[in-house]
Amino acid sequence: ESSTNPDPPGLTPIPILHRKEYKKMPHFDFEDVYRRDRQPSKTSLWNVIKQDPELRDKFIPNIRMYVHNGSISMSEWNRLSHFNNPFGFMDYTINLVSKPKYPLLSPKPGRDCISCAVVATGGVLWKSRKGREIDNHDYVFRLNGAVIKGFEEDVGSRTDVYVHTAFSITAVEIFLRKYNYTRAPHDEVWIKYVLIPEGKRDFEWLTGLYKRERLVGGAFPNRRPWTQYSDQFNETRYYVLHMDFMRYIRNRSFLNSSTLNLGFWPIVRPTNGAFMMFVALHVCDRVDAYGFISDDHRKYSNYYYERGANTHVTFFGNHNYNMEKDLWKIFHELKIINLYSGESDPTEPTAPKQNRRR
Ligand SMILES: *[C@@H]1O[C@H](CO)[C@@H](O)[C@H](O)[C@H]1NC(C)=O
Ligand SMILES: *[C@@H]1O[C@H](CO)[C@@H](O)[C@H](O)[C@H]1NC(C)=O
Ligand SMILES: *[C@@H]1O[C@H](CO)[C@@H](O)[C@H](O)[C@H]1NC(C)=O
Ligand SMILES: *[C@@H]1O[C@H](CO)[C@@H](O)[C@H](O)[C@H]1NC(C)=O
Ligand SMILES: *[C@@H]1O[C@H](CO)[C@@H](O)[C@H](O)[C@H]1NC(C)=O
């Protein structure tokens, strides 16, 4: 990992910039500069990515993935203060984060191809019977409302990496109570937790988490963050995504939504599922994706745990679902991922279901 360049003497923080001063996403001449590690990732997936001239120029194999205490100098702070959250620190200042001690995926002795299953929550997984296939991967990634109990046959039961925001880990506990979801996955064998620092509230969360202090005020009053991880929280296995990693995904025309040019640009960002996918793409040799949005998504419920209920993906303005859907399709066609998009059964009528009025 490269060290941070020393700051010139006398460097002070720039004044805080405010999102509301910009009617669309502002541009800076250093917007394509990202923190990088010395050692590029050497997964065999890069050999596939390199085959495609366009993608080869978009992916950065040594992009810095995690942020931690001590990795942000004053000049880094000043650079990142130009970008809105989660891509930078526009509008606020933060307390930092301890440094994880282990690589996200530990090498598997005797295996030179690490296979990953990235499991999102799409309705396509209901009755898929993909559980055993998912569990047979070296590593299983899950996120948000990862309901497992009662769905093992379809979604598997292991979790090695759990991706979340402070909001998602607390909200799903309430919203998914009716699906018997009680808490985040907590496999006892070295589960790793990845936080997407979505905004200021995630840094409040981190402060309580590391200090093991009950939160006072803020977005999560009275919460005791470390208890949300069911006794499996350990800072040596806790990873906070780097702002540059997230901005690289937004910018490198993977997911640079045209809505970034509209007044609500500051809330436009890739979904948690997209961030999870890109984490896997940077650390795995093979990525099999389950429960992600695909062309057929209207045939299924929004979430697998709704058991085929007539709900559909709600297209919230802060995410560009069509752009993500098309990107996964391109990645699948280029064999960068293997996207599970349901078994097409020729005996099934193809006429779309009557959709509930919204
Ligand atoms: C960050 O680093 C400072 C100085 O090294 C240390 O005092 C502080 O405890 C660290 N915070 C965390 C969350 O690791
Ligand atoms: C929740 O668990 C109870 C008791 O095991 C069971 O009867 C019920 O069907 C479950 N609900 C769902 C939505 O799976
Ligand atoms: C966290 O994990 C490390 C090993 O990486 C261990 O030494 C330490 O005791 C653990 N801390 C807690 C609070 O369990
Ligand atoms: C995005 O990246 C491209 C290079 O791929 C660069 O030219 C451009 O300035 C960047 N734009 C933003 C908004 O970050
Ligand atoms: C996204 O990136 C592509 C390629 O760099 C560029 O042509 C396009 O204008 C960008 N879109 C936006 C909204 O910035």
Side-chain angles (χ1 to χ4, degrees):
E1 179 177 294
S2 68
S3 56
T4 307
N5 291 334
D7 284 325
L11 190 69
T12 55
I14 62 162
I16 292 178
L17 302 179
H18 295 287
R19 298 178 292 188
K20 61 178 191 304
E21 285 157 23
Y22 301 95
K23 299 247 175 307
K24 56 180 192 164
M25 185 171 74
H27 290 277
F28 302 99
D29 56 8
F30 49 86
E31 68 193 10
D32 201 33
V33 172
Y34 312 95
R35 192 98 203 125
R36 296 170 192 231
D37 291 335
R38 262 199 205 109
Q39 288 301 321
S41 145
K42 287 206 198 74
T43 63
S44 44
L45 202 52
W46 291 111
N47 299 327
V48 183
I49 291 167
K50 274 192 297 198
Q51 309 294 313
D52 186 80
E54 215 186 302
L55 286 185
R56 187 179 51 211
D57 294 338
K58 286 186 189 172
F59 271 98
I60 303 179
N62 62 342
I63 186 85
R64 173 70 55 88
M65 293 183 70
Y66 317 111
V67 67
H68 61 81
N69 205 359
S71 72
I72 300 215
S73 61
M74 188 66 78
S75 36
E76 278 290 270
W77 174 267
N78 284 349
R79 180 176 66 80
L80 289 168
S81 293
H82 290 81
F83 306 105
N84 63 298
N85 59 283
F87 313 99
F89 303 127
M90 191 182 263
D91 270 330
Y92 59 90
T93 61
I94 58 159
N95 300 307
L96 269 176
V97 174
S98 65
K99 185 177 180 178
K101 195 168 161 196
Y102 303 96
L104 186 67
L105 306 185
S106 325
K108 294 257 168 182
R111 314 261 292 108
D112 54 354
C113 175
I114 297 291
S115 65
C116 297
V118 287
V119 186
T121 50
V124 65
L125 276 172
W126 185 56
K127 288 191 167 173
S128 67
R129 306 181 68 85
K130 287 281 153 188
R132 185 185 300 243
E133 181 181 309
I134 288 171
D135 279 347
N136 276 337
H137 288 75
D138 291 313
Y139 290 103
V140 180
F141 288 58
R142 299 183 195 272
L143 83 164
N144 298 354
V147 185
I148 291 174
K149 199 164 149 258
F151 295 89
E152 291 87 346
E153 257 193 16
D154 293 336
V155 306
S157 54
R158 279 177 43 216
T159 308
D160 299 281
V161 177
Y162 178 69
V163 178
H164 65 293
T165 62
F167 173 76
S168 82
I169 200 171
T170 49
V172 292
E173 213 185 77
I174 297 160
F175 296 145
L176 302 187
R177 197 167 286 159
K178 62 177 179 217
Y179 300 106
N180 288 336
Y181 181 90
T182 50
R183 50 188 184 172
H186 51 280
D187 295 29
E188 280 165 28
V189 187
W190 287 78
I191 187 168
K192 311 272 175 74
Y193 293 105
V194 174
L195 181 81
I196 299 166
E198 195 176 24
K200 193 172 171 179
R201 60 188 177 188
D202 295 86
F203 290 99
E204 294 169 5
W205 181 260
L206 287 170
T207 307
L209 183 64
Y210 288 119
K211 293 189 183 157
R212 291 176 169 72
E213 275 173 10
R214 185 186 287 274
L215 297 176
V216 179
F220 307 101
N222 284 321
R223 288 273 184 180
R224 297 177 303 147
W226 70 101
T227 64
Q228 304 279 154
Y229 301 86
S230 325
D231 295 333
Q232 286 300 310
F233 167 70
N234 185 317
E235 42 274 83
T236 65
R237 290 182 275 120
Y238 197 86
Y239 304 76
V240 179
L241 291 187
H242 198 289
M243 292 70 219
D244 276 355
F245 180 71
M246 294 183 279
R247 193 163 49 82
Y248 143 81
I249 296 164
R250 174 180 72 176
N251 172 45
R252 283 284 173 119
S253 65
F254 293 120
L255 294 172
N256 65 341
S257 174
S258 56
T259 51
L260 289 166
N261 293 320
L262 301 178
F264 63 94
W265 69 272
I267 63 161
V268 173
R269 65 169 185 81
T271 60
N272 293 354
F275 286 130
M276 173 172 74
M277 179 81 90
F278 273 91
V279 169
L281 286 170
H282 286 73
V283 295
C284 304
D285 292 299
R286 206 182 88 206
V287 174
D288 296 323
Y290 302 86
F292 280 81
I293 188 167
S294 69
D295 281 342
D296 281 344
H297 70 91
R298 294 197 67 83
K299 287 184 8 195
Y300 308 101
S301 325
N302 194 359
Y303 302 110
Y304 64 76
Y305 44 79
E306 294 173 319
R307 300 181 199 269
N310 196 3
T311 59
H312 295 291
V313 182
T314 310
F315 281 58
F316 291 108
N318 57 338
H319 302 307
N320 192 329
Y321 298 89
N322 279 320
M323 199 173 190
E324 294 191 6
K325 172 172 73 65
D326 294 342
L327 184 65
W328 309 147
K329 198 170 158 182
I330 292 169
F331 281 0
H332 178 78
E333 281 160 6
L334 294 173
K335 298 194 161 38
I336 289 170
I337 63 173
N338 182 39
L339 177 69
Y340 173 69
S341 45
E343 317 296 351
S344 27
D345 180 353
T347 62
E348 284 241 327
T350 48
K353 276 194 290 190
Q354 188 82 39
N355 294 321
R356 191 177 62 182
R357 292 185 86 98
R358 287 184 177 276

